[in-house]
Amino acid sequence: MSLQNNKGWDSLITGLLILTLGLIAYIILLGEFDIHIGKISMGIHHVHPPFRLFIVLLSLKVWEKSYRDKYQLVKRIEWFLNTRYGIISIVTVFFVCASWIKLSQHYTFHTRAFDLSMYDSALSNTLKGDFMYTQWLGRNFFSEHFAPILLGILPLYLLYDSPALLLIVQALALTLALIPLFYLAKDTFANALIPFGIVLVYLNYKYLINGFMFDFHHEIFVPFFVFSLILSLRRNKLVLYFVFLILALACKEDMPVYLFMYGGYIAVVEKKWKVGIATMLLSGLWFVFALKIAIPMSFPDGYQPSRFLDRWSQYGQTYGQIIWGFLTHPSMIVGESFFKTLWGISAPLGFVPFAGLPQTLLILPPFLLNNTSNFVKQQYLDSYYALPVLPFLFVAFIAGMKRILDKFPQKHHIIMILFTYLFMMNVEFYLEFMQAFDISQHDIVGHQLVESIPPNVTIAAQTILIPHLDRTHDITMLPERNDAAYIFLDTERFHWPMSPVEYGNIINDIRTDLSYELLSDAEGFLLFKKYEE
């Protein structure tokens, strides 16, 4: 018997849904909910002021009444959203907004050598004949990550060879994912307002925004390709499915693991044996090629395994040992970070994905692989590490939402409560847009100083200044100086990898170094030049 049609499971889900909706209502009213299990503490909090809550509730109440009364405006909105122009308009508006956010981030010195300049130099050097070489690793980028999807950006680099291009591509990838997500939801719900609401929740989901705001990363393509391949399969467009499958595999070397498991899901749960087995076979072959051939052979000093293997060294030293360690030590997998991270990704969505079984199972492969890493940011899906999880999470979210609405037909107040919670917990994109980085006098002076540095010189610079320097410069990232002709610092911005104490000591050392003269000390910038001998 299918899991979806099992009556016992159905009753359990109904009870859990009632408890979840009660919890959501509690959080909306009181603002927070905390739970303590042994040493593990987890909580859900919203910090929106009462006035904003009042506006949200009032707006949803008007929507509910208008919908009940078949108000003409609502019908017009639904008609517009049901046309192709609806989603195109949404994508266009948010692409412009997302591009503005990323470009303003860049031109106010909030992007870094690691990782923006790393990607930028790999692509720029490829056009010059040095395939995917990046000086920030001192080797081929594919020895770090096998992500051939990046080669698709090269034609754009022929038109505009600049790190700013990568930020526009990042904004485009973010917003393109809204199209297949919208149609996945639209194929599920008759009312076009619900898919539109799901798109807004996705676009404001904090784990997506965290990945989007962290410079540029190739993982940003994953949601678009995974949503697209799932949509293609559901519409029985197999050629498109395999095209998007290959594109998704090309995003990163860990994608074959997730898509191999997705192939198993297709075969076992959806009973599409041929497609499922083909997916598993293609993913398995890609995995072997990426980790046994492409990455090891991209190292300049000969065949070497991926350096990221060390992140799972607690399970073993080789791929086989790590897999065996997963299977034989499940207690190591399910620990404090497991529960905290699972709570973290599901609480802002009202735990709705858990009601989406069996689609919920798709979340586990990308979630577990990242959560079992010994690198803390990856464990907790910080920065861009959540991006491979998101498409599977939102597919389960759509399925869970469908189950809730099927359980409570004609209960418009249930939709009100749920979307009030979701909008209150997910307003990240709007906050980023409203707080978009304003170009200040500080930034104007910084760009003037960048322009004042002559080409073809050696320069030691802070990480946030490096993406703005000329390609002819021979650049070293501080604290390394390498007897550079110029030293460039911004005392008001991010100074990783130096601690505050180390950073202060370096500035004092340079100020007292008689071989350097201070060219500029304005708006927090320090530009030094070595005296010519």
Side-chain angles (χ1 to χ4, degrees):
M1 181 180 289
S2 172
L3 186 60
Q4 292 107 314
N5 299 323
N6 186 285
K7 290 185 178 179
W9 168 252
D10 203 47
S11 300
L12 176 62
I13 283 293
T14 301
L16 290 175
L17 289 177
I18 294 171
L19 287 174
T20 300
L21 289 170
L23 175 62
I24 288 171
Y26 178 90
I27 295 167
I28 290 174
L29 293 173
L30 299 184
E32 61 184 14
F33 175 80
D34 292 288
I35 184 172
H36 303 278
I37 304 173
K39 295 182 179 180
I40 302 176
S41 298
M42 295 176 286
I44 314 173
H45 303 264
H46 76 73
V47 294
H48 310 308
F51 179 73
R52 183 178 296 169
L53 173 58
F54 170 75
I55 293 297
V56 171
L57 288 172
L58 180 62
S59 300
L60 286 171
K61 186 63 181 175
V62 170
W63 172 82
E64 182 197 25
K65 185 177 186 304
S66 301
Y67 186 82
R68 262 201 327 263
D69 297 340
K70 303 297 182 183
Y71 186 55
Q72 192 65 27
L73 177 61
V74 173
K75 293 204 305 191
R76 288 179 180 176
I77 293 173
E78 285 192 78
W79 172 84
F80 179 71
L81 292 175
N82 270 312
T83 67
R84 69 178 63 180
Y85 304 108
I87 188 61
I88 290 174
S89 300
I90 293 167
V91 169
T92 302
V93 168
F94 283 113
F95 169 65
V96 171
C97 294
S99 298
W100 164 249
I101 290 171
K102 290 302 291 183
L103 291 176
S104 63
Q105 178 191 35
H106 178 60
Y107 288 112
T108 55
F109 299 100
H110 287 89
T111 52
R112 291 160 275 199
F114 288 98
D115 292 330
L116 181 59
S117 293
M118 180 175 65
Y119 288 95
D120 173 58
S121 63
L123 293 171
S124 184
N125 288 334
T126 298
L127 293 181
K128 298 177 177 69
D130 199 352
F131 183 74
M132 292 306 287
Y133 176 81
T134 172
Q135 59 264 42
W136 302 108
L137 295 175
R139 48 188 164 87
N140 190 303
F141 179 82
F142 286 167
S143 66
E144 186 85 350
H145 290 298
F146 183 58
I149 195 65
L150 293 172
L151 301 178
I153 305 175
L154 285 175
L156 298 176
Y157 257 68
L158 288 171
L159 301 174
Y160 186 49
D161 188 353
S162 167
L165 174 65
L166 289 176
L167 303 178
I168 297 174
V169 169
Q170 177 123 325
L172 180 62
L174 171 86
T175 49
L176 280 179
L178 303 180
I179 299 174
L181 173 62
F182 177 81
Y183 284 108
L184 281 168
K186 189 172 182 288
D187 288 353
T188 305
F189 303 100
N191 184 341
L193 292 178
I194 294 176
F196 176 66
I198 290 173
V199 164
L200 291 182
V201 170
Y202 172 79
L203 192 59
N204 287 276
Y205 187 56
K206 71 174 183 178
Y207 285 89
L208 175 69
I209 300 304
N210 287 345
F212 173 65
M213 293 304 296
F214 197 104
D215 282 5
F216 170 86
H217 285 89
H218 48 280
E219 290 90 342
I220 196 67
F221 296 107
V222 171
F224 173 57
F225 294 140
V226 173
F227 282 140
S228 296
L229 70 89
I230 294 174
L231 179 64
S232 300
L233 183 61
R234 290 188 179 180
R235 293 186 171 185
N236 204 31
K237 296 180 178 180
L238 294 185
V239 174
L240 271 179
Y241 168 78
F242 283 105
V243 168
F244 284 119
L245 176 64
I246 292 170
L247 290 171
L249 289 169
C251 287
K252 197 179 177 186
E253 66 277 2
D254 57 345
M255 288 304 298
V257 177
Y258 318 143
L259 295 171
F260 180 90
M261 300 304 292
Y262 178 62
Y265 174 88
I266 294 170
V268 176
V269 178
E270 299 187 3
K271 306 300 182 184
K272 298 176 180 177
W273 293 99
K274 291 182 180 179
V275 178
I277 291 171
T279 300
M280 295 173 72
L281 181 62
L282 184 57
S283 299
L285 291 173
W286 194 288
F287 180 80
V288 172
F289 176 77
L291 293 178
K292 289 295 186 179
I293 300 175
I295 290 176
M297 294 185 68
S298 296
F299 280 93
D301 301 326
Y303 190 94
Q304 295 181 41
S306 170
R307 73 178 187 88
F308 292 103
L309 204 61
D310 289 342
R311 293 190 178 182
W312 291 270
S313 59
Q314 67 271 33
Y315 298 98
Q317 300 303 314
T318 65
Y319 297 113
Q321 290 174 358
I322 291 171
I323 293 171
W324 182 249
F326 282 158
L327 298 174
T328 56
H329 297 86
S331 60
M332 293 177 64
I333 296 175
V334 183
E336 180 177 350
S337 68
F338 174 90
F339 291 106
K340 280 191 171 183
T341 310
L342 191 62
W343 180 280
I345 64 171
S346 58
L349 300 178
F351 308 101
V352 171
F354 293 134
L357 272 167
Q359 286 92 329
T360 311
L361 299 174
L362 297 172
I363 303 168
L364 290 178
F367 178 85
L368 288 175
L369 186 63
N370 286 281
N371 184 247
T372 52
S373 166
N374 58 29
F375 182 54
V376 175
K377 279 183 174 291
Q378 190 171 6
Q379 265 185 32
Y380 289 95
L381 301 182
D382 195 7
S383 301
Y384 50 88
Y385 289 106
L387 292 174
V389 181
L390 297 191
F392 301 109
L393 180 68
F394 272 82
V395 166
F397 176 75
I398 291 171
M401 180 74 75
K402 180 69 164 64
R403 191 186 294 271
I404 291 173
L405 298 184
D406 286 347
K407 283 294 174 188
F408 303 100
Q410 306 302 320
K411 299 290 186 180
H412 296 294
H413 64 281
I414 297 296
I415 302 176
M416 272 188 58
I417 291 173
L418 191 55
F419 273 101
T420 298
Y421 173 86
L422 293 171
F423 289 140
M424 290 176 63
M425 300 301 291
N426 299 279
V427 292
E428 301 290 330
F429 186 87
Y430 300 109
L431 292 177
E432 291 292 349
F433 183 70
M434 289 187 292
Q435 299 171 7
F437 308 89
D438 292 327
I439 297 180
S440 64
Q441 183 62 27
H442 170 88
D443 305 312
I444 293 172
V445 169
H447 287 289
Q448 290 172 344
L449 291 175
V450 167
E451 293 296 325
S452 72
I453 301 172
N456 301 304
V457 297
T458 58
I459 179 169
Q462 222 164 300
T463 181
I464 47 89
L465 299 172
I466 288 172
H468 301 273
L469 298 177
D470 193 274
R471 296 205 187 281
T472 65
H473 293 150
D474 183 0
I475 307 169
T476 301
M477 188 173 75
L478 291 168
E480 300 296 326
R481 288 157 59 181
N482 294 346
D483 200 33
Y486 287 82
I487 300 176
F488 195 18
L489 304 99
D490 180 357
T491 61
E492 295 185 8
R493 292 288 190 267
F494 187 60
H495 48 68
W496 180 90
M498 298 165 283
S499 68
V501 173
E502 183 182 9
Y503 187 65
N505 290 338
I506 286 175
I507 292 175
N508 290 333
D509 289 345
I510 300 171
R511 284 185 179 276
T512 56
D513 189 337
L514 298 180
S515 62
Y516 284 93
E517 63 172 319
L518 179 62
L519 295 182
S520 178
D521 182 0
E523 290 290 333
F525 288 97
L526 298 172
L527 179 61
F528 297 89
K529 180 184 177 183
K530 195 175 184 64
Y531 286 109
E532 296 181 5
E533 296 180 358

